[in-house]
């Protein structure tokens, strides 16, 4: 069976158990046939068990069976709502499956550009897996290019660009955009990844990829018009909290390092966002807006 068809079966099982919470194997089989998942072929128990194992390995999703009712369910649904690679991979494959089924209406689908720099992903992932140092050619905007050997720690996708977090020979952590790499190769040199290093923890106090040591702050913003619903459905940061709401605005708080990535995101909302606290950040936003007005 082609990998694409197998992935679509994985996604179907996950989505069906998400929707119905608990299903016996017989109920699952009936829906499998009803939805024509495998061109009329029934779901075999041996195949289902193999799919369960693959779903655990690929997405980290555990499908358990309740002993009393013999019904299957997802016992760790939280993995489908966090920012893990399993959640991202599940979402990507789910969308891929929908689009594959929509080839006949492709002219009526309007998509964003795909992430750039993907040609280097395989090399970086292999280096991360084997703890190999990478030699990269890099060209910053408006700067001379250079070649450097680094220790790859992690990958992050942000605003349709891939970034690599790496430690250089000076022991400094640096971010490299994959679309600004001019060359990349794996070396024979190895490095030791610190046992207590967590990429999720490293980025947890930031929005985006800029990690410049900006001091932590308790940021309070006021969202006007339609903006509160956007923030509720797609929070900017895991520390986001809703403080109070009226008919005309809602206040949200963040415990975050307010870098230019974060401020740029707030500015992108135009008049829908107003920074209330801290005072110095409110003034900084005012200065940025004043500078923008000079362009007009």
């Amino acid at each position: 069976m082609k990998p694409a068809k197998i992935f679509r079966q994985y996604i179907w099982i996950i989505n069906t158990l998400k929707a119905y919470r608990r299903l016996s194997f017989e109920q699952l089989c009936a829906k499998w046939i009803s939805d024509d998942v495998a061109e009329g072929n029934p779901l075999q128990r041996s195949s289902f068990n193999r799919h369960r194992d693959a779903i655990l390995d690929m997405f980290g999703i555990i499908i358990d069976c309740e002993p009393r009712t013999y019904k299957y369910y997802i016992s760790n649904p939280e993995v489908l709502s966090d920012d893990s690679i399993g959640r991202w991979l599940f979402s990507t494959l789910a969308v891929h499956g929908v689009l594959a089924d929509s080839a006949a209406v492709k002219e009526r689908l309007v998509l964003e550009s795909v992430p750039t720099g993907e040609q280097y992903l395989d090399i970086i992932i292999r280096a991360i897996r084997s703890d190999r140092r990478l030699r990269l050619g890099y060209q910053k905007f408006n700067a001379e290019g250079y070649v450097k050997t680094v220790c790859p720690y992690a990958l992050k996708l942000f605003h349709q660009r891939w970034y690599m977090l790496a430690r250089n020979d000076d022991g400094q952590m640096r971010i490299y955009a994959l679309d600004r790499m001019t060359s990349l190769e794996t070396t024979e040199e190895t490095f030791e990844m610190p046992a207590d290093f967590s990429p999720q923890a490293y980025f947890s106090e930031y929005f985006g990829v800029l990690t410049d040591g900006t001091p932590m702050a308790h940021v309070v913003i006021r969202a006007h018009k339609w903006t509160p619903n956007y923030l509720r459905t797609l929070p900017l940061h895991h520390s986001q909290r809703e403080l109070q709401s009226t008919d005309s605005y809602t206040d949200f708080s963040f415990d975050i390092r307010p870098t230019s990535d974060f401020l740029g995101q707030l500015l992108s909302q135009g008049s829908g966002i107003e920074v209330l606290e801290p005072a110095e950040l409110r003034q900084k936003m005012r200065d940025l807006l004043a500078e923008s007005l000079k362009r007009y």
Side-chain angles (χ1 to χ4, degrees):
M1 187 184 299
K2 294 181 178 179
K5 289 185 177 181
I6 296 177
F7 290 148
R8 288 168 66 184
Q9 292 180 10
Y10 297 164
I11 300 302
W12 182 90
I13 290 171
I14 295 168
N15 283 335
T16 301
L17 289 177
K18 278 177 61 183
Y20 293 95
R21 303 295 178 90
R22 279 170 164 75
L23 290 173
S24 66
F25 180 71
E26 291 72 21
Q27 291 171 323
L28 202 61
C29 287
K31 294 185 181 299
W32 176 280
I33 294 295
S34 175
D35 290 350
D36 196 22
V37 178
E39 301 174 346
N41 295 314
L43 175 62
Q44 302 295 332
R45 188 175 290 275
S46 58
S47 297
F48 176 60
N49 288 331
R50 287 196 299 271
H51 287 358
R52 287 172 65 193
D53 292 339
I55 287 170
L56 175 60
D57 289 340
M58 183 174 293
F59 307 112
I61 297 172
I62 301 171
I63 298 177
D64 274 332
C65 183
E66 196 173 59
R68 185 173 58 85
T69 62
Y70 296 103
K71 289 188 175 182
Y72 292 94
Y73 66 101
I74 296 174
S75 62
N76 59 338
E78 66 278 359
V79 302
L80 292 171
S81 59
D82 62 18
D83 58 355
S84 66
I85 186 65
R87 170 67 180 88
W88 181 83
L89 184 59
F90 167 74
S91 177
T92 300
L93 289 175
V95 171
H96 178 273
V98 171
L99 295 182
D101 288 338
S102 305
V105 295
K106 63 181 180 180
E107 298 302 326
R108 296 169 68 176
L109 301 176
V110 182
L111 308 176
E112 292 185 344
S113 300
V114 298
T116 56
E118 70 277 1
Q119 69 269 28
Y120 295 121
L121 283 176
D122 184 60
I123 298 175
I124 296 173
I125 290 173
R126 288 177 184 273
I128 289 175
R129 185 184 302 149
S130 59
D131 289 334
R132 297 274 182 175
R133 282 160 58 84
L134 290 170
R135 182 176 295 108
L136 64 89
Y138 200 71
Q139 177 69 62
K140 288 185 176 181
F141 294 138
N142 302 318
E144 281 192 32
Y146 59 83
V147 176
K148 186 179 289 289
T149 302
V150 299
C151 305
Y153 273 34
L155 282 163
K156 181 166 184 177
L157 180 63
F158 177 64
H159 284 175
Q160 294 178 265
R161 293 180 189 269
W162 282 104
Y163 295 87
M164 177 178 70
L165 174 66
R167 177 171 55 81
N168 62 23
D169 286 336
D170 297 323
Q172 301 167 322
M173 300 299 289
R174 290 288 184 264
I175 290 287
Y176 299 94
L178 271 61
D179 62 344
R180 287 171 232 168
M181 294 180 181
T182 56
S183 63
L184 189 68
E185 62 178 344
T186 307
T187 72
E188 294 301 315
E189 303 173 67
T190 61
F191 68 95
E192 186 174 344
M193 180 79 170
D196 60 348
F197 181 82
S198 165
Q200 289 76 19
Y202 182 84
F203 287 106
S204 67
E205 296 176 344
Y206 295 91
F207 172 86
V209 295
L210 185 61
T211 56
D212 58 4
T214 297
M216 284 289 292
H218 181 70
V219 179
V220 179
I221 67 170
R222 179 159 292 173
H224 300 272
K225 302 176 184 176
W226 61 87
T227 315
N229 287 329
Y230 281 99
L231 293 179
R232 291 184 183 115
T233 54
L234 190 60
L236 294 182
H237 190 254
H238 64 83
S239 67
Q240 178 178 306
R241 300 291 183 271
E242 185 169 329
L243 302 180
Q244 62 172 338
S245 185
T246 71
D247 292 338
S248 56
Y249 66 81
T250 301
D251 291 346
F252 296 89
S253 71
F254 302 85
D255 292 299
I256 196 171
R257 296 181 186 269
T259 64
S260 57
D261 279 347
F262 182 63
L263 299 188
Q265 184 66 26
L266 298 182
L267 288 168
S268 71
Q269 298 297 323
S271 61
I273 291 290
E274 173 190 1
V275 173
L276 301 181
E277 300 175 17
E280 59 269 23
L281 190 62
R282 181 178 174 87
Q283 181 60 49
K284 186 173 184 178
M285 290 287 284
R286 186 183 288 117
D287 294 341
L288 290 170
L289 289 167
E291 190 66 27
S292 295
L293 284 173
K294 291 179 182 179
R295 306 291 184 190
Y296 297 91

